[in-house]
């Protein structure tokens, strides 16, 4: 019997419709999907459990995605966790900051479901 390993993916975005769109895109992928509506909530979740992938927006209230990325990299359990930035920000300056803080990649919104699925499949299988 083959057991498929599910990945645990955290979706961080202050926009409920964006979280729903990511959930909908990944719903058939058999992965466990968790949501957080800002960086503070995501960081608290990450302190209690590990994730195989974190998808985060940048522009959010309380704690933005770049700060979240930096904070996650400071946690012993998330130093190697793949973190993808999902944002409308496409400037090279933001991407440089994102990489410096530990982001593994960048997906600019709006994105196609195929693009998101391809990236997720590359990272978690």
């Amino acid at each position: 019997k083959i057991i498929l390993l599910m990945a645990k993916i955290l979706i961080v975005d202050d926009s409920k419709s964006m979280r729903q769109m990511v959930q909908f895109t990944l719903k058939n992928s058999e992965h466990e999907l968790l949501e957080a509506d800002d960086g503070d909530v995501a960081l608290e979740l990450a302190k209690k459990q590990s994730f195989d992938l974190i998808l985060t927006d940048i522009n959010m209230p309380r704690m933005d995605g770049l700060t979240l990325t930096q904070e996650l990299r400071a946690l012993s359990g998330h130093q190697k966790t793949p973190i993808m930035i999902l944002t409308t920000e496409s400037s090279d300056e933001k991407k440089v900051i994102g990489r410096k803080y530990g982001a593994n990649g960048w997906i600019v919104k709006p994105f196609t479901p195929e693009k998101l699925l391809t990236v997720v499949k590359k990272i978690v299988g």
Side-chain angles (χ1 to χ4, degrees):
K1 183 177 174 186
I2 296 172
I3 297 171
L4 295 174
L5 294 177
M6 281 190 352
K8 191 187 287 190
I9 301 172
L10 178 60
I11 304 160
V12 189
D13 201 307
D14 59 321
S15 163
K16 184 174 184 177
S17 60
M18 184 53 65
R19 291 193 315 269
Q20 287 173 332
M21 188 180 136
V22 173
Q23 282 258 18
F24 183 77
T25 301
L26 299 177
K27 77 175 180 357
N28 293 324
S29 65
E30 303 295 321
H31 298 305
E32 182 182 345
L33 306 173
L34 284 87
E35 292 183 25
D37 60 6
D38 69 35
D40 280 348
V41 174
L43 189 59
E44 287 310 306
L45 285 170
K47 286 177 180 175
K48 297 180 183 111
Q49 59 193 300
S50 62
F51 293 98
D52 300 298
L53 172 62
I54 297 172
L55 301 168
T56 184
D57 186 19
I58 287 184
N59 300 312
M60 298 180 288
R62 300 197 309 158
M63 184 189 296
D64 67 79
L66 293 174
T67 305
L68 171 63
T69 300
Q70 196 173 29
E71 294 285 331
L72 287 167
R73 291 299 183 225
L75 297 176
S76 60
H78 290 286
Q79 290 169 343
K80 296 198 182 333
T81 303
I83 301 173
M84 294 297 297
I85 306 286
L86 221 67
T87 183
T88 55
E89 299 276 351
S90 61
S91 76
D92 288 340
E93 180 187 348
K94 289 274 192 202
K95 290 178 183 178
V96 167
I97 294 168
R99 275 194 291 277
K100 186 177 120 192
Y101 285 4
N104 297 89
W106 209 271
I107 299 174
V108 177
K109 298 177 194 172
F111 54 84
T112 63
E114 295 78 29
K115 168 89 173 148
L116 181 62
L117 285 168
T118 300
V119 169
V120 169
K121 192 168 184 147
K122 244 185 237 173
I123 295 170
V124 297

